[in-house]
Amino acid sequence: TKYSKVFRLVDKAKYIVFFTGAGISTAADIPDYRGDKGLDKAPLNIAQMGVSERDLDCKMPTAAHRAITLLLEHHPRFKFVVTSNHDGLHQKSGTPWERTANVFGTAYIEECLECRARYTRRVITPALHRVCDDSGCGGKLKKTGV
């Protein structure tokens, strides 16, 4: 069966990395692009594409996010998460930022366009006129998420 093949691969692997995309967050009521109720099924309205950033703060991790976090915490062969999502649900479930690669950035990390310092935020902040936390820099901040 498919599952026995997966179990054999996991059993033989030295290290395991999770690759996740939009499907892991659909149970959190964040739409994907190509699924049954995907955003590609309706006329594209760029203002309504996905979930607005202000709504992401209210979304909670799914059981799959939590399962990945538990595997990372308790099984040394599970090392890292690579995700194409910018929703921050892996971190809300407890996965450390250091063990996550956000392929398209994230709505929760801002980067200074001058000094390149990065700032992790607990909530999504408005983008208007934000400046670097370093008082000696004063550069503009930009979210890393696409």
Side-chain angles (χ1 to χ4, degrees):
T1 68
K2 288 191 285 187
Y3 299 113
S4 59
K5 288 180 184 178
V6 170
F7 291 136
R8 280 196 303 276
L9 286 170
V10 168
D11 191 46
K12 291 179 183 178
K14 184 174 180 180
Y15 300 115
I16 298 167
V17 174
F18 294 97
F19 290 87
T20 67
I24 195 170
S25 296
T26 55
D29 201 27
I30 298 175
D32 60 11
Y33 187 74
R34 291 183 188 87
D36 293 341
K37 297 178 183 178
L39 297 171
D40 67 337
K41 305 293 186 278
L44 185 61
N45 177 346
I46 199 72
Q48 295 176 332
M49 189 169 173
V51 174
S52 72
E53 284 190 346
R54 68 180 164 76
D55 293 337
L56 281 180
D57 283 338
C58 299
K59 300 298 180 183
M60 298 306 292
T62 65
H65 289 99
R66 189 65 189 133
I68 289 172
T69 298
L70 290 172
L71 287 169
L72 291 169
E73 288 174 349
H74 299 289
H75 299 283
R77 288 191 302 158
F78 293 91
K79 293 292 185 188
F80 205 76
V81 177
V82 177
T83 184
S84 62
N85 298 342
H86 73 280
D87 55 30
L89 294 184
H90 284 293
Q91 283 62 50
K92 285 184 181 180
S93 74
T95 299
W97 287 105
E98 307 80 49
R99 294 183 76 181
T100 309
N102 292 282
V103 176
F104 299 117
T106 174
Y108 292 91
I109 296 179
E110 295 177 302
E111 182 174 28
C112 176
L113 298 177
E114 284 294 315
C115 69
R116 295 308 211 212
R118 287 183 161 220
Y119 302 100
T120 302
R121 309 296 187 198
R122 289 181 169 264
V123 296
I124 297 173
T125 56
L128 297 173
H129 307 293
R130 293 193 40 79
V131 295
C132 186
D133 290 5
D134 180 347
S135 60
C137 176
K140 291 182 181 180
L141 292 179
K142 178 184 175 287
K143 290 184 185 95
T144 61
V146 177

